[in-house]
Amino acid sequence: MTQVLRERLAALGMSVDGAAITPLSGGDSGAALWRVDGATPCIVKRDTPERVAGEADGLRALSGACRKLIVPEVLAEDDDLLVMQFLEGTGKRDGAALGEGLRQLHRDSRDADAGHGWPRDNACGLTPQPNAPLADGRAFQRDRRLLPLMRGCRERGALDAALAGRVERAADSLERWLEQAPPSLVHGDLWSGNVLFTPQGPAIIDPAVYRHYPEVDVAMLTLFGGPGDAFFEAYWDGDRPADWERREALFQLYPLLNHLYLFGGTYRQGVARAADRILAG
């Protein structure tokens, strides 16, 4: 495979003569990854053409909107192959810089005239992510995020009727407490593993972008750990929503359903807790 990869990269105009090519773990995404230490160090990902195109589109969108966060440059894209700038994750952890950068991204990309969603579908992990825009963000969260995954979990036997009913009631409650708001560009899958602290500052990788409530990204950062007090102080800048705990539960419910859909019953209790927090208010 290494020789085939060299030939494909050379055909894309990449200088790989004598370059070391090291296989990397693709994690849960199922993609094949390599680090190429050539004249321009890069990461090469092989995935389905649809997922490659979706990720490249997301990286370009974030790169155009981020002024204070680093986004890897797309160096080449060819069918099932994505070539990206290599970023060294050896910098000092800086939660304040991450919070300030994410706040800038969400604030400056807010667009009252844009729908919630994205012009193309993409994927969150291995799960296809439907993004057909809707004017109302609450309808988008219900009809493009929560209910499709709830039904998928039911079909796989990962969700019983009682818990599915609680998830559906939580989804149907949104107009009663969540205000309509202009959408921001969101990373869409911003768990801690998709944040790198480089020597030049924080970077975000592996996006699943769309436009929606900015708390999508903040809630994802708190799902498997936490970014620390300095992050929140910088991100909220004194303007933390009074109902943050309920919003956090809402925007964690989608990734928890996704994990339940992909990996099974270990995540059932997380889904139940999030649904109950939403319903309790």
Side-chain angles (χ1 to χ4, degrees):
M1 180 61 210
T2 300
Q3 184 55 37
V4 173
L5 185 61
R6 288 184 190 277
E7 291 171 0
R8 291 194 64 184
L9 291 174
L12 290 170
M14 307 291 295
S15 177
V16 293
D17 288 343
I21 298 181
T22 308
L24 304 173
S25 169
D28 295 328
S29 71
L33 289 173
W34 296 268
R35 174 176 169 174
V36 180
D37 290 306
T40 302
C42 61
I43 296 292
V44 180
K45 177 180 284 190
R46 189 183 67 197
D47 208 332
T48 67
E50 295 79 13
R51 288 166 59 85
V52 163
E55 182 169 350
D57 174 59
L59 289 170
R60 292 184 178 110
L62 287 173
S63 181
C66 283
R67 291 187 290 105
K68 296 186 176 183
L69 296 176
I70 297 167
V71 179
E73 180 185 356
V74 175
L75 301 176
E77 178 189 350
D78 180 43
D79 191 35
D80 63 343
L81 218 59
L82 178 61
V83 185
M84 299 166 284
Q85 174 190 11
F86 170 74
L87 297 176
E88 188 71 66
T90 58
K92 178 182 177 182
R93 183 180 181 85
D94 190 342
L98 176 62
E100 183 180 352
L102 196 63
R103 178 167 59 89
Q104 174 270 318
L105 167 65
H106 292 158
R107 182 193 63 216
D108 292 358
S109 66
R110 193 176 297 130
D111 187 346
D113 296 326
H116 290 252
W118 197 243
R120 65 182 303 152
D121 294 343
N122 47 33
C124 188
L126 284 171
T127 306
Q129 183 165 262
N131 289 324
L134 291 171
D136 192 312
R138 298 158 302 186
F140 181 88
Q141 180 64 205
R142 179 175 52 249
D143 297 335
R144 302 285 189 262
R145 293 292 179 263
L146 299 181
L147 295 186
L149 264 179
M150 181 272 286
R151 296 184 190 109
C153 289
R154 286 284 286 151
E155 290 168 2
R156 291 194 172 189
L159 203 60
D160 59 49
L163 182 51
R166 280 146 66 193
V167 170
E168 189 165 11
R169 288 196 301 276
D172 287 340
S173 76
L174 300 185
E175 280 83 358
R176 295 196 294 274
W177 65 271
L178 184 67
E179 78 282 1
Q180 169 66 331
S184 298
L185 179 65
V186 297
H187 176 284
D189 191 17
L190 198 61
W191 70 290
S192 59
N194 285 340
V195 177
L196 292 178
F197 290 98
T198 79
Q200 292 75 38
I204 51 178
I205 63 173
D206 292 343
V209 302
Y210 54 103
R211 288 185 171 276
H212 200 33
Y213 292 88
E215 290 95 337
V216 164
D217 287 340
V218 186
M220 190 67 183
L221 276 173
T222 67
L223 185 55
F224 302 115
D229 291 343
F231 167 85
F232 287 108
E233 289 173 9
Y235 182 81
W236 295 127
D237 194 28
D239 195 27
R240 180 180 183 268
D243 60 349
W244 163 239
E245 286 78 11
R246 196 178 196 185
R247 289 170 180 260
E248 181 184 44
L250 170 62
F251 294 116
Q252 286 181 348
L253 184 53
Y254 170 62
L256 284 166
L257 283 167
N258 190 25
H259 278 71
L260 180 63
Y261 177 76
L262 292 172
F263 308 119
T266 304
Y267 294 94
R268 186 184 181 281
Q269 286 305 313
V271 169
R273 284 192 297 269
D276 289 346
R277 284 171 64 194
I278 296 165
L279 291 169

